Amino acid sequence: MSTEHLTRRRRTAGPAHPASKVPEVTVYFWVIKVLTTGMGETASDLLAKKLGPIPAVGLGGLALVVALCVQLKARRYVAWIYWTAIVMVSVFGTMAADVLHVGLGVPYTISTPFFMVALAAVFAVWYASEKTLSIHSIHTRRRELFYWATVLATFALGTAAGDLSATVGLGYLGSAVLYAVAIAVPAVMHKWWGTLNAVAAFWTAYVITRPLGASVADWMALSHARGGLALGLGPVTLSWTVAIIGFVGYLAVSRNDVGDTERLA
């Protein structure tokens, strides 16, 4: 290929965007996402039990702010920085939903639609401002802020929805089965039926990963009397954390979750 041809291609390709601040959506993305939701659920409960609800919320909020500041300061996607921020969102998002229920006495039948409206509002403002909700467009600071506001809202909504289904008769195992089936629906509607676009399918599945992971983790950790395996909050939190570190470490080395342009950078 000639130099003239390369130059012509560069001229017609349009302006290059800054490096993406989010990972490519691969099977690793979904596995780690589910792991972070479960780990966030049990870690939040463990911290509240050991420290008390108010200190736990304060510590979780501080850790979230620090993690997001590091993520926002990074010039491109870095696996351990991004997933640390996701873990902190998971822990604090769980606390936000639990504070409404346990601390303020708000029933899950109220908090679940409340967080649903909050998420819809974030989406509406994001789309009105940027004309897209695609995670492949996270190339500016404003879009990144919209992205993280959306992530936080999805975690709070997913926590409330998972606890709601677990307390209306399904239990934690039944809820896990329900959400495992539900998460396949957007994939089928997008890939097989073509009735759901890629952006809507992604965010629908993203919301469902929260109650799915949390329900599985609760089922593993909680007592037999509550329908769980009684493995304990500490052991479940530790084992899921180790799994997250393993997957994120692999991605940091292999870079299988970045686009071709970023991989060559």
Side-chain angles (χ1 to χ4, degrees):
M1 185 179 294
S2 68
T3 303
E4 181 182 355
H5 183 68
L6 287 172
T7 302
R8 185 164 57 251
R9 283 188 60 184
R10 281 196 293 268
R11 288 173 178 171
T12 58
H17 287 295
S20 176
K21 298 294 294 291
V22 300
E24 292 290 310
V25 180
T26 66
V27 65
Y28 300 108
F29 176 92
W30 293 114
V31 169
I32 300 174
K33 175 62 169 59
V34 171
L35 288 171
T36 61
T37 63
M39 180 269 186
E41 175 76 13
T42 55
S44 173
D45 292 344
L46 182 62
L47 287 171
K49 183 178 180 181
K50 296 294 184 180
L51 303 177
I54 295 178
V57 170
L59 180 61
L62 178 61
L64 173 61
V65 170
V66 172
L68 286 179
C69 286
V70 174
Q71 165 66 22
L72 292 171
K73 188 176 180 180
R75 298 181 63 181
R76 57 167 55 86
Y77 164 74
V78 178
W80 72 268
I81 294 177
Y82 173 87
W83 287 111
T84 298
I86 289 291
V87 166
M88 292 302 103
V89 169
S90 177
V91 173
F92 189 77
T94 301
M95 291 177 175
D98 288 346
V99 163
L100 280 180
H101 179 70
V102 179
L104 302 179
V106 178
Y108 293 125
T109 52
I110 300 297
S111 60
T112 299
F114 169 79
F115 286 125
M116 191 177 297
V117 171
L119 177 60
V122 174
F123 276 139
V125 176
W126 182 0
Y127 189 80
S129 173
E130 305 299 314
K131 307 306 179 186
T132 179
L133 301 177
S134 172
I135 67 165
H136 301 296
S137 67
I138 311 300
H139 300 294
T140 67
R141 175 59 56 84
R142 184 165 59 183
R143 290 184 180 184
E144 189 177 9
L145 290 173
F146 278 127
Y147 174 81
W148 286 104
T150 302
V151 169
L152 183 57
T154 64
F155 272 90
L157 170 60
T159 299
D163 288 336
L164 174 62
S165 62
T167 55
V168 295
L170 285 178
Y172 294 107
L173 179 58
S175 295
V177 173
L178 170 66
Y179 293 117
V181 173
I183 202 170
V185 173
V188 170
M189 292 180 65
H190 172 60
K191 290 185 175 296
W192 292 357
W193 298 346
T195 55
L196 192 65
N197 67 45
V199 173
F202 170 83
W203 284 116
T204 302
Y206 197 93
V207 171
I208 297 173
T209 58
R210 175 56 186 169
L212 172 60
S215 296
V216 173
D218 277 335
W219 173 63
M220 294 175 65
L222 297 181
S223 65
H224 296 303
R226 298 179 64 182
L229 297 178
L231 298 179
L233 293 171
V236 172
T237 300
L238 178 60
S239 60
W240 286 49
T241 300
V242 171
I244 292 169
I245 292 173
F247 277 106
V248 173
Y250 167 75
L251 292 177
V253 174
S254 68
R255 306 193 72 190
N256 285 336
D257 58 341
V258 300
D260 293 337
T261 302
E262 283 81 8
R263 188 177 294 116
L264 294 173

